[in-house]
Amino acid sequence: MTQIHVSTTINGDAVEFLCEAQETLLDVLRDRLGLTGAKEGCGTGDCGACSVTLDKRLVCSCLVLGAEVEGREITTIEGMADGEILHPLQQKFLEHAALQCGICTPGILVAAKALLEKNPDPTETETRYWLAGNLCRCTGYDKIIRAVMDAAEQMRGA
Amino acid sequence: MRYEAPRTLESAVALLAGEPGSAQILAGGTDLLVRLKSDIGEPDLVIDIKRIEAMKAITAEDGGWRIGATVSGAELGEHDGVGAAWPGVVEAAELIGSTQIQGRATMVGNLCNASPAADSVPALIAAEAVARVTGPDGTRDVAVGEIATGPGQTSLAKGEIVASILLPARPARSGDAYLRFIPRTEMDIAVVGVGVSLTLDASGICTAARVGLGAVAATVLLVEAAAAALIGTAIDEAALERLAAACSAACKPIDDKRGTIEFRTKVAGVLARRAAAIALARALSGHSTARKAEK
Amino acid sequence: MARDDKPEAEGRVFKIVGTRPIRPDGIDKVTGRARFGADMSAPGMLVGLVLRSPHAHARIRGIGTARAEALTGVKAVITRADFALDSGDIDDDDLRDILHNVMAHDKALYDGHAVAAVAAVSAPVARRALALIEVDYEVLPHVIDVDEAMKPDAPVLHQGRSDETVPAGMSANVMHRFEFGHGDVEAGFAEADVVIERSFRTAATHQGYIEPHACLASMGPDGQADLWCCTQGHYMVRNTCAGLLGLDASQLKVTASEIGGGFGGKTTVFLEPVALALARKSGRPVKMVMSRDEVLRASGPTSSTSIDVKIGMKRDGAITAGWAELRYQGGAFPGSPVQFGAMSCFAAYDLKNVQAIGWDVVANRPKQAAYRAPGAPMGAYAVESVVDELCEKLGLDRLEVRLKNASRDGTKAAYGPRFGRIGLTATLEAAKAHPHYTAPLGPNQGRGVACGFWFNFGGDTCVTLNVNADGTVGLSEGNPDIGGSRAAMTMMAAEELGIPYERVRTTIADTSALGQNEVTDGSRVTFAVGLATIKAARAAITVMCARAAKIWGIDEDAVVWEDGHAKPAGPNAGQFPPMSLAEIAALYANTGGPIAGHHEVTAEGAGVSFATHLVDAEVDPETGAVTILRYTVFQDAGKAVHPAYVEGQFQGGAVQGIGWALNEEYIYGADGRLQNPGFLDYRIPVASDLPMIDTVIIEVANPGHPYGVRGVGETSIVPPLAAVANAVSAAAGVRLTQLPMSPPKVLAAIDAARG
């Protein structure tokens, strides 16, 4: 099978890869590029654990073909911290104990960052609906919502 | 499986028409990629239409709005013009899946996937929206209700692509609304979906109405008896009750993992009444402000 | 443990325990660096996939693998014949069932049952190979429902597995009968002013961890093998896989990855022995990852149940007798958690007359796996629903009635023993005093109350604590960190040693590094591993005191450890400035060599935990939709080591229970196939379904733990099924007796009640 050559930008870096037509962006990130921060919880867009942004839009990378990202800009959880400085959301997730097992955490952080870029002052209800596509089975969401709201407040003050 | 990303509609049609095996259009991919992983398996060719500039646009046309085939739910939701004219259609499109799905899923894809439970379709049918279909033999306009012919089945001929949907101009004192029932608050397929569009005269009497009903039959239904229950009335309690009864009577649902026949039949009426009340409020008050306030 | 034992922790002032430091594995988990089951790879790795039965029940007449083996890129195809041990060689019934579950023997027993597996150079090749395996099935009649499976003419899964507790004439699907209780229930019912008897049903639910099962196996021709996997217990994986593959335990080293949720569902093996068998046959490392479809079809859900409960009450609220009969199907093999259901369902009540009977039944569904307080939520749901209905009928306050009948220190539990120190009444009093209990309700709203109980567990535990020359400490333990346990262990080690939290690093050691560790189950880790950590720290302290004694030239007994320092015990011992841990550690080479402490124990004295939950719900009377408006958890934690993670356990358990109560269920078609094997239609709660989950931590110290810790992870899922059912019943104006209370069921109940 002929592989497809793709040039793209991931977390600000120019990246080239080869993939097969049916490979998803999630497959490419995890299996070809070693970016295993995005997780596969369902493969059908129902859990949000593979969330990344594609040209600044929040998407499930399991529902994007690798071949589609030619010339696009992708950000993943690996691009969220600035060197050793954590993003305020990452810091607040730690402070609020907003993760238990941590498998949903990368996807939720990517999704929450997209929320705060669009809406710096979300209500609790807006936050809950925005994150409804990110399943968490451990926390009951309470501390996640608190962490996002707290990070939003801090970022507004910054 | 091969992947192609043509730059023009014509080349997309040529690829689709010329493929001897199975071919699928890729727009948002939120249904197609799920199917690729299922037992149904991979087609021989996937044609990604997102590189076609003309398909990305939302354009004003004859007082209405033309929505390109690759406009995502998120893009549609951010467009003030469409939201002001057709708040019910926009809220229906925005109910398709999560924030992540909204970043990709398109209204045309929702239509062409031909699910009887597609959220945007009852609202589009209520809006009397028209799909523009381009194929090897040229371009034709088709009522959106004629695209799906059964679950997963469409009337599109080989090589045909739905390139856009036209939402027509709105008369004054018009409003539309879409409501669906799902077991959770998000992330579910509609168990019942109802789209209502109506127009009032200056005295508040309903002069035109259309009601689309989803997930209660093999295709989304246009319920004319439901519209008749509203037309000529001030949409009072009695009219709403007749609307509900007409919607329940039109249901030909199945029992499945998402709901029972009894449940769907009853809730279709309940939601129709509630959706009509919202559409009425919008017609009376001016929809763009109404929609913002509800959000 | 006698109930008048004074807990060692009583009156102790903690410096670190009870604070909320950032977990040591936190940065890895917020940056995507943490490596979970599917995140590991190896050079030359193959992809392994499993072929699964499309039939609920079928005899396997033959499996043809030749075409698959001939496909380019396929390196191994295995079936049951490839496991070293024939099932006849395994005399342990449980182990044989596990083998038959991970790879079908003569019959496929449920939709999704593994029948063969392949290892190939890529996933597409492996998928093509699966399609080339030819299985000759003889489809057999199947049975899904527990009550149907108990009927004498039901299709039978296994002949001759029923044990002597099962009366003659019952279906061969009935495996075991349990009975617990004391007193005379008939006499008790005769004393009652009101007796209510109701039947309940609960659907099977899945643990729903977001991380699918995954592993990476390699094995050489010498039998030395390495396995990386996501599991709640890698020692269990080591022992089980060694047993199934005929390996020496010492030859199989298992390393636990970070684990993306388990809730009991990762306390057994599924892919691991298959991956090892493929690695052995192919001579290459093999990685296997389940799809979500496979997780739901073939890994452990919990039981579906059918339960009858009868309770008698006096007008003043005194319960005179309680009786329950519980029927749990545990999937295709014996071992449903009905025993725990029968033991625990009346645990919250001090009853003179009580009897609970449990039936363990098999059906054509996946083998059940433990799910958070296995078996208890369903029994509590049935009992707490009937108690609620009695309160309603007699016009009594629901918390007062529970307080009046509550189990207390010394109560003889319905399942036999006498309780030691317990915190049930403390949770009830806290609920009564909480503003939630008296807050006003609107139309179509109702409030539910329920209590819950879990036994908690200790078990085999090994911890080693090494004092480094620079005064830092490395702690090795053998239980995967499923929800912040590294933080808790680090805190307890630092507390005991008297050094800062940051000076301790806790590592989850592989199976070659420590002795046997029980899986992360029974809410045992903070209790048992914590206990072993404290004891290991004390062992290291003993060594450090001896070193100080040596330096000072005084008796070892004359040195005490206080605030991280060795000090002379008193003026008579001599005048020496205290030596810190770092100072002692720095001199290790001249005082006797490396300093370490370790502790190996089968921990006992876990200390049971009780909770009371309050919930407000609103029902849409036209659609049956339920909204959870407010939720408060009151639970006894003994001592909350890291209160934020204790709250997290309370919240997570409550929300899993809400999902179970409202929307989660295994839905089967007439063909016996699972209809909802995905997160779209297996509906776990999403963020927008829920309010904040308020928590009140009660601390009634457990005498069995040096700091008073009780396990908290499981009790929190026991009350919500009943609490939500009671709230919904109050809001809907009709008693609901089936879970989940999905909208069609609620609407049908409302409509039926209105005639």
Side-chain angles (χ1 to χ4, degrees):
Chain A
M1 197 173 296
T2 313
Q3 297 210 327
I4 300 163
H5 176 263
V6 176
S7 302
T8 189
T9 303
I10 302 179
N11 299 326
D13 298 328
V15 173
E16 291 180 51
F17 60 85
L18 293 173
C19 71
E20 297 189 8
Q22 77 280 0
E23 272 184 74
T24 66
L25 174 58
L26 179 61
D27 295 336
V28 169
L29 290 172
R30 291 182 54 82
D31 299 337
R32 293 194 183 257
L33 302 177
L35 294 168
T36 56
K39 307 301 180 189
E40 180 159 332
C42 69
T44 50
D46 297 311
C47 80
C50 65
S51 294
V52 301
T53 65
L54 178 60
D55 287 349
K56 298 194 162 60
R57 284 277 179 215
L58 183 67
V59 300
C60 287
S61 58
C62 74
L63 294 186
V64 177
L65 292 178
E68 286 185 67
V69 304
E70 170 69 35
R72 308 282 196 218
E73 285 187 19
I74 296 157
T75 66
T76 71
I77 185 64
E78 285 89 349
M80 195 154 171
D82 178 11
E84 63 178 13
I85 302 168
L86 296 180
H87 187 279
L89 277 162
Q90 293 172 310
Q91 187 61 38
K92 290 297 179 190
F93 266 57
L94 295 178
E95 290 171 11
H96 284 267
L99 55 143
Q100 285 178 30
C101 80
I103 193 85
C104 70
T105 309
I108 293 192
L109 286 167
V110 169
K113 181 164 176 274
L115 167 65
L116 299 188
E117 282 166 3
K118 188 181 164 80
N119 179 0
D121 190 10
T123 64
E124 181 191 332
T125 300
E126 286 168 340
T127 307
R128 286 183 179 278
Y129 275 86
W130 182 274
L131 294 177
N134 291 88
L135 301 182
C136 169
R137 190 60 158 171
C138 293
T139 65
Y141 304 102
D142 182 298
K143 293 182 189 300
I144 291 171
I145 302 299
R146 289 180 200 276
V148 174
M149 306 280 289
D150 192 14
E153 188 178 335
Q154 183 188 312
M155 288 165 71
R156 286 195 304 275
Chain B
M1 179 178 124
R2 289 175 296 121
Y3 168 87
E4 297 282 357
R7 300 280 168 166
T8 65
L9 177 57
E10 293 68 31
S11 48
V13 167
L15 281 164
L16 190 59
E19 171 59 39
S22 58
Q24 291 280 345
I25 297 292
L26 168 62
T30 54
D31 289 311
L32 179 63
L33 265 76
V34 175
R35 274 209 302 281
L36 294 187
K37 295 175 192 181
S38 72
D39 295 339
I40 302 163
E42 296 166 8
D44 298 301
L45 173 65
V46 161
I47 304 164
D48 181 359
I49 57 172
K50 288 191 296 298
R51 306 268 165 183
I52 302 172
E53 281 301 321
M55 295 228 188
K56 298 178 182 174
I58 299 174
T59 47
E61 183 176 316
D62 298 336
W65 292 101
R66 183 167 293 284
I67 319 293
T70 65
V71 173
S72 70
E75 288 164 342
L76 190 64
E78 287 163 7
H79 193 281
D80 290 338
V82 182
W86 293 101
V89 171
V90 173
E91 68 198 2
E94 286 188 306
L95 283 173
I96 303 165
S98 60
T99 315
Q100 285 85 342
I101 300 298
Q102 281 291 305
R104 296 266 292 166
T106 69
M107 206 157 63
V108 169
N110 197 226
L111 176 67
C112 294
N113 191 50
S115 163
D119 277 308
S120 69
V121 179
L124 286 170
I125 284 180
E128 212 167 357
V130 175
R132 177 153 293 173
V133 179
T134 299
D137 301 326
T139 293
R140 61 193 177 103
D141 285 344
V142 186
V144 289
E146 289 170 25
I147 296 291
T149 55
Q153 305 295 318
T154 72
S155 58
L156 298 174
K158 182 166 171 67
E160 285 192 323
I161 296 173
V162 176
S164 64
I165 288 174
L166 179 69
L167 288 165
R170 275 320 241 157
R173 293 180 297 279
S174 295
D176 75 331
Y178 174 77
L179 290 176
R180 67 169 181 189
F181 186 86
I182 54 172
R184 292 178 291 188
T185 52
E186 271 285 358
M187 303 305 291
D188 286 321
I189 303 294
V191 182
V192 178
V194 185
V196 176
S197 174
L198 51 85
T199 300
L200 307 175
D201 67 15
S203 65
I205 299 298
C206 179
T207 55
R210 286 172 65 89
V211 178
L213 203 50
V216 297
T219 58
V220 177
L221 303 175
L222 173 68
V223 187
E224 288 176 8
L230 299 178
I231 294 168
T233 76
I235 312 188
D236 51 13
E237 226 4 79
L240 290 173
E241 279 311 313
R242 286 199 300 279
L243 165 77
C247 284
S248 291
C251 292
K252 290 168 279 185
I254 54 169
D255 276 327
D256 70 4
K257 61 191 172 188
R258 292 171 186 153
T260 60
I261 291 171
E262 186 188 20
F263 181 80
R264 287 186 155 111
T265 303
K266 175 160 185 191
V267 172
V270 171
L271 292 192
R273 207 174 59 226
R274 293 179 183 179
I278 296 168
L280 173 65
R282 286 176 177 164
L284 290 170
S285 69
H287 12 91
S288 66
T289 51
R291 180 162 171 269
K292 286 214 173 84
E294 282 151 23
K295 280 189 140 179
Chain C
M1 188 71 54
R3 71 197 148 97
D4 54 359
D5 271 8
K6 186 173 151 72
E8 179 189 337
E10 204 156 278
R12 177 164 179 167
V13 177
F14 293 100
K15 288 188 171 158
I16 296 172
V17 166
T19 65
R20 300 173 180 234
I22 286 175
R23 61 193 289 170
D25 53 330
I27 289 180
D28 278 357
K29 286 179 179 164
V30 297
T31 55
R33 275 209 302 268
R35 281 181 301 183
F36 290 83
D39 296 340
M40 188 62 102
S41 22
M45 176 175 91
L46 302 175
V47 175
L49 290 178
V50 173
L51 182 69
R52 298 185 180 279
S53 167
H55 304 296
H57 196 189
R59 190 168 308 286
I60 299 170
R61 287 189 291 225
I63 302 179
T65 58
R67 288 177 64 213
E69 282 161 337
L71 185 69
T72 303
V74 171
K75 302 298 178 186
V77 181
I78 61 165
T79 65
R80 266 287 289 110
D82 288 274
F83 284 85
L85 293 177
D86 185 52
S87 48
D89 297 335
I90 301 177
D91 51 12
D92 178 331
D93 280 351
D94 292 341
L95 197 59
R96 194 181 322 114
D97 285 345
I98 290 170
L99 176 57
H100 288 175
N101 190 44
V102 301
M103 195 55 72
H105 187 225
D106 56 339
K107 288 204 295 186
L109 294 165
Y110 55 92
D111 166 38
H113 198 166
V115 296
V118 302
V121 293
S122 73
V125 173
R127 271 195 293 273
R128 284 196 284 278
L130 288 186
L132 295 174
I133 297 174
E134 294 153 324
V135 185
D136 180 11
Y137 291 108
E138 175 194 348
V139 178
L140 302 170
H142 64 270
V143 62
I144 297 292
D145 178 78
V146 61
D147 291 325
E148 293 296 320
M150 290 180 77
K151 289 181 176 167
D153 58 348
V156 169
L157 279 78
H158 313 279
Q159 285 292 357
R161 291 291 301 272
S162 306
D163 70 13
E164 66 289 349
T165 61
V166 178
M170 293 193 83
S171 163
N173 293 326
V174 181
M175 294 289 143
H176 191 91
R177 179 185 187 276
F178 297 93
E179 183 174 336
F180 301 94
H182 54 252
D184 180 344
V185 288
E186 288 312 321
F189 289 130
E191 287 173 39
D193 292 314
V194 180
V195 176
I196 290 181
E197 182 171 6
R198 290 276 175 269
S199 296
F200 299 88
R201 295 176 65 80
T202 70
T205 56
H206 194 275
Q207 295 82 350
Y209 33 83
I210 307 300
E211 181 199 33
H213 299 270
C215 65
L216 172 61
S218 62
M219 196 191 303
D222 56 359
Q224 283 192 32
D226 287 278
L227 182 66
W228 160 275
C229 61
C230 56
T231 175
Q232 287 177 246
H234 41 306
Y235 292 81
M236 170 278 299
V237 172
R238 190 262 316 263
N239 299 346
T240 307
C241 290
L244 297 183
L245 289 139
L247 304 173
D248 292 340
S250 61
Q251 298 303 304
L252 173 57
K253 186 177 83 177
V254 183
T255 305
S257 70
E258 297 304 323
I259 174 170
F263 316 106
K266 291 175 183 167
T267 58
T268 184
V269 297
F270 296 102
L271 297 176
E272 296 84 353
V274 179
L276 283 164
L278 286 168
R280 177 163 65 187
K281 195 163 186 179
S282 66
R284 301 259 295 263
V286 175
K287 180 170 170 175
M288 300 186 80
V289 182
M290 277 196 195
S291 66
R292 180 55 52 183
D293 173 281
E294 290 180 287
V295 170
L296 287 165
R297 285 168 69 208
S299 76
T302 189
S303 291
S304 66
T305 75
S306 161
I307 303 171
D308 303 325
V309 169
K310 184 176 178 183
I311 299 175
M313 192 179 276
K314 295 249 201 204
R315 268 185 205 92
D316 65 358
I319 297 176
T320 59
W323 172 90
E325 184 165 351
L326 305 91
R327 298 167 291 272
Y328 289 20
Q329 66 73 26
F333 298 91
S336 84
V338 70
Q339 179 180 4
F340 292 145
M343 289 169 77
S344 64
C345 63
F346 286 110
Y349 297 98
D350 183 356
L351 301 178
K352 208 163 74 179
N353 307 300
V354 59
Q355 184 185 35
I357 296 157
W359 298 97
D360 179 22
V361 182
V362 295
N364 292 111
R365 298 180 184 232
K367 184 182 196 300
Q368 68 82 34
Y371 180 20
R372 207 169 194 161
M378 309 83 130
Y381 158 63
V383 167
E384 290 292 87
S385 291
V386 174
V387 170
D388 195 70
E389 196 175 344
L390 284 161
C391 294
E392 187 186 356
K393 189 151 188 175
L394 291 167
L396 299 170
D397 181 87
R398 287 155 168 85
L399 286 177
E400 292 294 351
V401 165
R402 285 176 171 84
L403 273 165
K404 186 180 181 78
N405 296 287
S407 289
R408 292 162 193 271
D409 296 4
T411 292
K412 182 174 166 57
Y415 63 94
R418 287 193 180 280
F419 288 125
R421 272 182 188 243
I422 57 173
L424 173 60
T425 56
T427 68
L428 286 162
E429 294 287 2
K432 207 171 88 178
H434 196 277
H436 183 168
Y437 192 55
T438 48
L441 289 167
N444 300 314
Q445 296 179 357
R447 178 162 298 139
V449 176
C451 294
F453 158 88
W454 186 245
F455 308 91
N456 291 336
F457 184 57
D460 297 343
T461 308
C462 299
V463 167
T464 292
L465 184 151
N466 296 308
V467 178
N468 303 318
D470 65 354
T472 61
V473 168
L475 181 73
S476 293
E477 50 123 330
N479 281 86
D481 182 350
I482 202 160
S485 60
R486 282 187 189 89
M489 298 317 139
T490 304
M491 291 171 77
M492 285 186 269
E495 180 79 48
E496 196 62 27
L497 294 168
I499 59 174
Y501 174 79
E502 295 73 21
R503 297 259 175 92
V504 181
R505 178 163 182 182
T506 299
T507 299
I508 316 300
D510 66 51
T511 53
S512 67
L514 293 170
Q516 176 66 20
N517 284 281
E518 173 67 37
V519 296
T520 297
D521 69 355
S523 301
R524 74 175 215 93
V525 171
T526 309
F527 165 73
V529 184
L531 180 147
T533 295
I534 293 164
K535 297 281 178 75
R538 287 179 183 174
I541 285 168
T542 302
V543 173
M544 290 187 286
C545 286
R547 302 296 173 86
K550 193 171 183 180
I551 292 163
W552 293 332
I554 65 173
D555 218 28
E556 289 181 17
D557 297 344
V559 179
V560 294
W561 190 265
E562 281 174 16
D563 293 334
H565 292 75
K567 296 175 182 172
N572 294 340
Q575 291 288 332
F576 302 101
M579 288 187 77
S580 70
L581 181 146
E583 288 167 330
I584 295 167
L587 297 173
Y588 83 92
N590 301 325
T591 59
I595 299 170
H598 61 96
H599 193 71
E600 293 78 29
V601 65
T602 300
E604 293 185 7
V608 303
S609 173
F610 284 94
T612 299
H613 288 198
L614 282 183
V615 55
D616 298 348
E618 181 169 327
V619 173
D620 181 339
E622 291 188 314
T623 65
V626 174
T627 306
I628 301 297
L629 303 168
R630 185 172 182 179
Y631 204 107
T632 312
V633 176
F634 307 84
Q635 186 177 323
D636 177 16
K639 176 69 193 174
V641 174
H642 193 307
Y645 287 104
V646 172
E647 292 162 2
Q649 291 296 321
F650 291 4
Q651 292 163 335
V655 168
Q656 283 186 318
I658 289 170
W660 197 335
L662 295 182
N663 281 309
E664 293 180 35
E665 61 179 318
Y666 265 49
I667 302 170
Y668 283 90
D671 58 0
R673 300 195 68 182
L674 183 62
Q675 297 205 330
N676 57 337
F679 277 138
L680 183 60
D681 288 302
Y682 185 82
R683 303 181 186 98
I684 77 171
V686 302
S688 50
D689 292 343
L690 297 162
M692 292 297 184
I693 307 295
D694 295 326
T695 56
V696 177
I697 299 174
I698 312 289
E699 294 185 325
V700 176
N702 170 23
H705 185 277
Y707 295 171
V709 168
R710 295 173 196 269
V712 297
E714 290 170 291
T715 301
S716 56
I717 200 174
V718 182
L721 280 58
V724 174
N726 291 339
V728 171
S729 297
V734 53
R735 177 63 49 182
L736 289 144
T737 57
Q738 289 189 27
L739 300 186
M741 295 176 288
S742 55
K745 278 200 206 115
V746 175
L747 187 61
I750 291 171
D751 288 348
R754 287 177 181 172

